Amino acid sequence: MTISYTGSLNTVRQREPVVTFFTNLRKAVDAVVGELAINSWPIKVNYTAVYRGIRERGFYACDYDLKGMRVFRIRIMPRVLNPVLPRLGIDENPAL
């Protein structure tokens, strides 16, 4: 998940994008919803919308604005952090 700050408010206060990794989609959506609620932002994110966006486009993005100016964008995309280990070309032990 990436939260990047956009728009003209970013020129006043420069901020780097925040990248956070989650073990599954439910935990990512719950974390986003919790942070939005704590900071009084409208909750536009739900599990179904995120799941469908990832299935259709490979990512989900949602922009947040304040009085017509974009403030930040939430972007959720799947990433494989620990790929399956290769077999290394070693065959099964025939003695078993």
Side-chain angles (χ1 to χ4, degrees), residues 5-51:
Y5 296 91
T6 59
S8 58
L9 292 178
N10 194 32
T11 58
V12 175
R13 181 178 176 196
Q14 291 284 331
R15 295 180 73 178
E16 293 294 319
V18 176
V19 178
T20 309
F21 297 99
F22 292 93
T23 56
N24 63 36
L25 185 59
R26 172 60 65 191
K27 289 183 180 182
V29 171
D30 288 346
V32 169
V33 168
E35 282 298 314
L36 291 171
I38 287 172
N39 292 304
S40 301
W41 286 98
I43 299 173
K44 301 179 192 176
V45 178
N46 64 48
Y47 181 83
T48 304
V50 174
Y51 182 79

Side-chain angles (χ1 to χ4, degrees), residues 64-83:
Y64 280 84
D65 59 346
L66 182 65
K67 296 183 181 179
M69 290 190 277
R70 288 189 346 189
V71 180
F72 63 92
R73 171 180 283 166
I74 295 174
R75 186 175 169 116
I76 300 174
M77 63 209 99
R79 291 283 184 252
V80 176
L81 297 178
N82 296 323

